Amino acid sequence: MSDFRTDGQAALDWAADYLERVGELPVLAQVSPGDIRARLPRTAPDEPEPFAELLRDLDEIILPGVTHWQHPRFFAYFATSASEPGILAELLAATLNSVAFLWRTAPAATELEGVVMDWVADLLGLPAGWHGHIEDTASTSTFAACIAAREATGRDLIVCSEQAHSAADKAARMLGMRLRKVPVDSEFRMRADAVGDLSDAAIVVATVGTTATTSVDAVGEIADLCEASGTWLHVDAAYAGAAMVCPEFRWAFEGVERADSVVVNAHKWMLTPMDCSLLWSRRPEDLRRAFSVVPEFLRTPNAEDAWSLSEYGPALGRRFRALKLWAVLRCHGRSGLQRHIRSGVELATQFEGWVGETEGWEVCAPRHFSTVCFRLEGEDERNRALLERVNASGEMFISQCVLNGRYVLRLAIGQMSTTENDVRRGWDVLVRESALV
Ligand SMILES: Cc1ncc(COP(=O)(O)O)c(C=O)c1O
């Protein structure tokens, strides 16, 4: 049998080496669909193999097929940093292998989850006393909010803006609920004056930091409409919520204290490895009514009942996700999280400046946080070709969106290791490749 300490040391060395050299690897995997599968055996081995062989294959077979989310020039979608305390805590969580569906199956995991949710609520300026638990993703968190809202209101309509994340579309489809999309204003915010009649709406999903442009819906105004019509207000702050650790960004959370539920992804801009989606609600009893199914084998004494976090969301088996968040919060502290957010915003501001002052380029949306929407003036086709070229170069990875019918490029900063040199190099690559399209 393999030696846990020797293999463990080798795995840790592998991880440390990887983090040191990831910046030299091509960001976007340079493989075609099926390449990795073709290099792997068709069946599992009959006999045990040494762990060292797995590490060898990790280098030789798997690594070429990895798109490096930990790369300092990963600028696509919303970048995410798995910082070192979070990585180590994942090892420890797997070691404990707690399954936190009842309090008694994992008392510490259950109680720590409540504590870290309170800590983060405090860091982000959310009201004290909200119930918080951790889901895998924002898609699941929003899905859970929609189910609770349907249960609480007896209605079947989801309302969100045209710029809301497709998680709302997916929730509507999975739940057989109707979906109404509200037009946005010139800054891509939900038009409160166009929300319309909410008397049959179960839930409005407002967004603080939309996926394409990071626009911020007027949550306070939307809260007025929801209050008047008895509609659940869910705030999707999956990306931008983390920025609220800095007081200067709190303007974006104005009115959020009136929401019925709020989601922030710690696995986006809060240095926590995937997956860790934080869902708070001021109406936990509605979540519980929607999700609580307690067959005999899950019955526990009354005093334990309220602690069973599986009664507040879709999953029964729940990972010890709170451990990595605890590690991140303790080892970075408020000041470390603030430094990370401010550095991302500062770098994005610089990039926005370079685009804005260069002829032939345009900034396409207001930049609130660490994401810049921009394009080459002129044809969509040139921009599409440019995106393909810069991503194929392996030097950086960006993504795209469509705004006002035009193809737009997005550069989102969120990696802990990203420096000014990386953003400068990204801009140089864009300028260099733009001459060739
Ligand atoms: C605003 C917003 N909401 C929700 C999501 C979905 O997040 P997840 O991948 O955790 O489901 C994203 C993803 O980028 C997002 O930007």
Side-chain angles (χ1 to χ4, degrees):
M1 198 53 198
S2 63
D3 182 280
F4 187 62
R5 286 181 197 279
T6 312
D7 291 340
Q9 190 57 56
L12 191 61
D13 284 342
W14 191 96
D17 289 345
Y18 172 76
L19 293 177
E20 274 172 26
R21 72 193 167 105
V22 61
E24 294 151 28
L25 301 173
V27 193
L28 183 65
Q30 311 282 298
V31 287
S32 302
D35 281 357
I36 303 302
R37 191 177 175 123
R39 299 189 59 193
L40 291 162
R42 292 168 70 90
T43 57
D46 286 329
E47 300 302 330
E49 294 179 351
F51 190 78
E53 286 185 21
L54 182 124
L55 283 183
R56 186 201 60 207
D57 289 349
L58 185 60
D59 271 323
E60 292 179 6
I61 302 175
I62 301 298
L63 210 55
V66 172
T67 289
H68 299 288
W69 284 75
Q70 297 278 67
H71 196 293
R73 287 187 301 286
F74 187 106
F75 299 133
Y77 315 110
F78 285 128
T80 167
S81 257
S83 67
E84 286 163 14
I87 296 171
L88 294 175
E90 280 287 55
L91 170 71
L92 302 176
T95 305
L96 294 169
N97 203 23
S98 297
V99 186
F101 53 83
L102 299 174
W103 175 85
R104 67 174 47 192
T105 64
T110 302
E111 295 191 19
L112 184 64
E113 190 162 325
V115 169
V116 291
M117 290 298 292
D118 288 351
W119 283 11
V120 179
D122 172 61
L123 286 172
L124 304 186
L126 289 171
W130 279 9
H131 183 273
H133 75 272
I134 306 180
E135 293 287 351
D136 52 3
T137 59
S139 303
T140 304
S141 295
T142 294
F143 176 65
C146 291
I147 294 175
R150 181 172 68 175
E151 182 75 18
T153 61
R155 304 172 185 169
D156 79 333
L157 175 66
I158 299 172
V159 176
C160 64
S161 91
E162 288 167 341
Q163 289 289 320
H165 188 269
S166 53
D169 302 62
K170 210 165 178 177
R173 195 188 302 173
M174 286 191 287
L175 292 167
M177 292 175 78
R178 292 176 295 132
L179 181 68
R180 187 166 83 215
K181 296 218 173 164
V182 180
V184 292
D185 64 14
S186 59
E187 296 195 2
F188 308 102
R189 299 171 295 201
M190 184 190 291
R191 273 182 46 199
D193 65 328
V195 167
D197 178 22
L198 289 181
S199 58
D200 60 346
I203 184 168
V204 174
V205 178
T207 311
V208 172
T210 55
T211 310
T213 70
T214 76
S215 61
V216 175
D217 290 340
V219 177
E221 280 178 57
I222 298 166
D224 288 341
L225 303 174
C226 287
E227 242 164 53
S229 57
T231 303
W232 185 290
L233 173 59
H234 175 65
V235 173
D236 177 354
Y239 154 74
M244 303 309 135
V245 72
C246 301
E248 65 269 31
F249 298 116
R250 289 270 174 87
W251 61 267
F253 252 17
E254 233 178 87
V256 170
E257 72 284 353
R258 294 168 65 196
D260 296 293
S261 54
V262 177
V263 58
V264 174
N265 275 359
H267 68 243
K268 278 191 162 56
W269 205 7
M270 210 184 282
L271 301 175
T272 309
M274 179 76 187
D275 52 1
C276 195
S277 179
L278 316 181
L279 177 63
W280 291 271
S281 176
R282 67 182 168 100
R283 295 170 64 172
E285 283 316 312
D286 286 319
L287 279 171
R288 193 150 177 233
R289 255 190 298 281
F291 288 107
S292 178
V293 177
V294 187
E296 182 52 39
F297 79 100
L298 294 176
R299 254 177 228 298
T300 55
N302 283 344
E304 293 180 27
D305 265 5
W307 294 89
S308 294
L309 292 179
S310 58
E311 288 187 52
Y312 296 85
L316 180 63
R318 312 178 70 259
R319 282 175 7 88
F320 194 174
R321 294 189 184 93
L323 193 67
K324 59 186 169 186
L325 184 55
W326 192 42
V328 165
L329 297 174
R330 291 187 60 177
C331 298
H332 293 289
R334 185 196 300 263
S335 64
L337 297 176
Q338 288 178 335
R339 260 194 306 281
H340 177 54
I341 297 290
R342 286 178 180 142
S343 144
V345 174
E346 213 175 288
L347 293 173
T349 309
Q350 273 182 303
F351 180 84
E352 180 191 33
W354 298 332
V355 174
E357 70 199 21
T358 308
E359 207 173 315
W361 296 81
E362 57 180 321
V363 175
C364 305
R367 181 206 48 74
H368 301 298
F369 305 105
S370 66
T371 302
V372 182
C373 289
F374 65 103
R375 70 195 300 281
L376 277 171
E377 285 168 359
E379 294 299 302
D380 281 357
E381 276 322 305
R382 271 192 83 205
N383 283 284
R384 228 184 281 274
L386 177 60
L387 177 117
E388 290 304 322
R389 288 189 71 90
V390 299
N391 288 346
S393 77
E395 291 174 83
M396 70 189 295
F397 182 27
I398 55 170
S399 56
Q400 78 282 8
C401 61
V402 171
L403 297 177
N404 298 323
R406 295 185 317 169
Y407 186 92
V408 167
L409 308 174
R410 280 173 81 264
L411 181 128
I413 297 172
Q415 249 310 317
M416 206 180 171
S417 56
T418 302
T419 63
E420 185 180 338
N421 278 345
D422 291 303
V423 182
R424 169 54 80 179
R425 174 144 167 218
W427 176 235
D428 289 346
V429 172
L430 281 158
V431 171
R432 182 189 76 206
E433 297 298 325
S434 70
L436 303 170
V437 295

